[in-house]
Amino acid sequence: MEQSWRWFGPDDVVPLRAIRQAGASGVVTALHQIPYGVVWSVEEIEARKALIAADPSLGLRWNVVESLPIHERIKIGEGDLTELFDAYRQSMRNLAACGVRTICYNFMPVLDWTRTELRHPLPGGGSALRFNAHEYAAFDCFMLERPGARDDFPAEVIDRAKAWFDRATQADKDALLATIMAGLPGAFDRYDIPGLRRHLARYEGVSREALRQNLARFLREVIPTAEEVGIRMAIHPDDPPRSLMGLPRIVSSEDDLAFILGAVGSQANGLTLCTGSLGAGAHNDIPAIARRFASRIHFAHLRNVAKEPDGSFMEADHLGGDTNMVTVVEILLAEQNRRKEAGDDRWRIPFRPDHGHELLDDVGKGSFPGYSAIGRLKGLAEIRGVMTAVSQLRGLPV
């Protein structure tokens, strides 16, 4: 498996040399400065590649795009989308021409990943990302005041949400809004409460089935180009894998993945196996999902979460939490071996450690939440150890 590392470009407080020190060689990045729907030019792509390769002694290469974002109008199915589809396809062609041929993307409406705490304290002074069900309910029901929101939560969660809201200061409420808006680091848009309400209103009438069909349309539009230029598309699951703010989520379960991969039956139409996103859903059996869709896994995010009965969850140690990471790594190594024996020249599956804890000297450095250096280095080292052990025991190539 190709050990990789997410890097947010020149503004990332984690420098490229740290990636090499962590033992990774693949750099997972994106041109976050380019607005959604605008073509990524060859010049911009080559400039990022040159930055990554500027010090040849590091041996780094841009191996995965995360993400080439999909414009919200495509998700909604709003208006004439010809120019947006054309722009997306041209960006794909430009990436392929520059040698970057794996694209991670998502189809989450409005927001990407959602948490209510970006730095939940850990014993000893570290911190972790956390989703508290009652704080999210307080936001949805009492700050956003979304009609019908209370119907989406158990009464006990609503009671705790109201208690939190009643004692919260304005600073507490502002911090919760900022946390929920954090979404994916590097994302282009942020909203205040009125702006979020306006954006949610655009999805009125977009049912779960309609969103599914809009995704299927997107795949029909772009997968032929992916096949033509040798791109592998890898959809990222919803995080968390449940409806938020009344919006449908359609990449949240094994059935969802079966629909997506069956919508266009091409090897270019694949999956980012995110063990944390899928693992936050009590309905998901991560090893079973990995086994079923192994041949279509083009990229992996390996992280772990610990779930609680009310729907809360927290980022756990990479080998802790609720998902058996050893079994997942064994499945991925076995799939790699199958690809290698079949003559696939891209048989190695790129993966990266995801959402590490903020630890030691990284505390207070201002890294993107979940993306400090030491926590991810720890996770990568743990996974590397599992890979080495499984490889030797099973006779599988790493």
Side-chain angles (χ1 to χ4, degrees):
M1 292 158 66
E2 184 177 16
Q3 298 176 48
S4 307
W5 189 274
R6 189 161 192 188
W7 185 61
F8 294 100
D11 294 332
D12 198 329
V13 300
V14 180
L16 289 168
R17 66 180 182 275
I19 299 175
R20 182 65 185 89
Q21 291 174 30
S25 58
V27 176
V28 178
T29 191
L31 305 182
H32 295 299
Q33 73 275 18
I34 299 178
Y36 295 4
V38 176
V39 172
W40 289 15
S41 70
V42 168
E43 292 75 20
E44 292 269 18
I45 296 165
E46 288 290 356
R48 178 59 57 88
K49 280 186 64 182
L51 195 60
I52 292 167
D55 183 349
S57 71
L58 299 181
L60 302 178
R61 73 181 189 97
W62 185 359
N63 64 337
V64 177
V65 173
E66 186 179 343
S67 301
L68 180 59
I70 298 171
H71 198 281
E72 213 70 23
R73 284 180 52 211
I74 292 176
K75 299 175 189 178
I76 297 169
E78 182 181 79
D80 184 353
L81 301 176
T82 303
E83 289 186 6
L84 289 175
F85 286 131
D86 286 345
Y88 203 95
R89 286 187 290 258
Q90 189 58 52
S91 294
M92 293 169 64
R93 293 188 184 99
N94 292 346
L95 284 161
C98 296
V100 185
R101 297 189 296 154
T102 300
I103 296 174
C104 172
Y105 70 101
N106 75 70
F107 214 77
M108 289 180 255
V110 183
L111 297 175
D112 294 339
W113 60 258
T114 302
R115 300 292 186 271
T116 63
E117 289 186 80
L118 299 181
R119 290 182 169 86
H120 179 80
L122 297 172
S127 66
L129 297 172
R130 181 174 171 84
F131 181 95
N132 292 312
H134 72 282
E135 289 181 348
Y136 170 71
F139 176 81
D140 198 15
C141 298
F142 306 117
M143 291 175 59
L144 186 62
E145 298 179 312
R146 179 175 62 86
R150 293 187 185 218
D151 296 336
D152 292 347
F153 302 96
E156 184 270 336
V157 171
I158 292 289
D159 290 344
R160 287 194 292 130
K162 186 63 166 61
W164 181 93
F165 181 79
D166 287 344
R167 69 173 180 268
T169 65
Q170 188 58 49
D172 293 332
K173 296 171 186 176
D174 291 344
L176 181 58
L177 171 63
T179 297
I180 289 175
M181 288 299 104
L184 181 69
F188 200 74
D189 289 326
R190 297 289 186 268
Y191 308 104
D192 57 13
I193 292 287
L196 181 56
R197 287 174 181 149
R198 288 192 297 271
H199 208 71
L200 292 173
R202 296 176 64 192
Y203 276 87
E204 289 181 5
V206 179
S207 66
R208 170 179 166 80
E209 182 57 29
L211 192 62
R212 267 191 165 191
Q213 293 308 316
N214 291 342
L215 173 54
R217 178 186 177 186
F218 168 77
L219 293 171
R220 291 192 298 269
E221 291 280 353
V222 305
I223 293 301
T225 299
E227 293 174 333
E228 171 194 332
V229 300
I231 289 278
R232 290 178 176 175
M233 299 290 290
I235 193 166
H236 187 285
D238 302 324
D239 185 9
R242 65 189 73 164
S243 173
L244 294 178
M245 302 179 206
L247 297 169
R249 293 286 188 112
I250 58 170
V251 196
S252 292
S253 68
E254 184 174 345
D255 288 345
D256 288 343
L257 296 174
F259 171 83
I260 292 162
L261 298 180
V264 177
S266 166
Q267 193 62 25
N269 176 26
L271 167 66
T272 294
L273 179 71
C274 183
T275 55
S277 295
L278 291 168
H283 55 285
N284 287 325
D285 181 331
I286 309 307
I289 288 172
R291 286 192 188 94
R292 179 175 178 181
F293 303 117
S295 67
R296 304 283 280 279
I297 295 172
H298 297 327
F299 182 36
H301 292 174
L302 300 184
R303 63 181 174 90
N304 227 321
V305 297
K307 299 185 290 294
E308 298 169 19
D310 69 351
S312 301
F313 61 90
M314 190 169 78
E315 305 287 348
D317 290 331
H318 284 70
L319 301 186
D322 299 331
T323 293
N324 188 327
M325 195 64 70
V326 175
T327 299
V328 171
V329 168
E330 186 170 9
I331 292 166
L332 294 176
L333 289 177
E335 171 58 21
Q336 278 197 157
N337 188 57
R338 184 197 68 78
R339 296 180 191 185
K340 185 177 183 182
E341 292 182 345
D344 185 347
D345 63 353
R346 296 167 63 188
W347 58 271
R348 271 203 173 86
I349 298 171
F351 82 95
R352 64 175 181 84
D354 197 13
H355 291 189
H357 294 162
E358 187 177 68
L359 302 172
L360 303 174
D361 290 348
D362 278 340
V363 174
K365 280 189 176 178
S367 57
F368 290 118
Y371 290 95
S372 60
I374 297 171
R376 285 185 291 164
L377 182 152
K378 177 175 178 283
L380 181 59
E382 292 171 347
I383 294 165
R384 184 187 300 126
V386 171
M387 288 167 51
T388 303
V390 170
S391 172
Q392 292 186 9
L393 287 171
R394 303 298 187 195
L396 299 170
V398 173

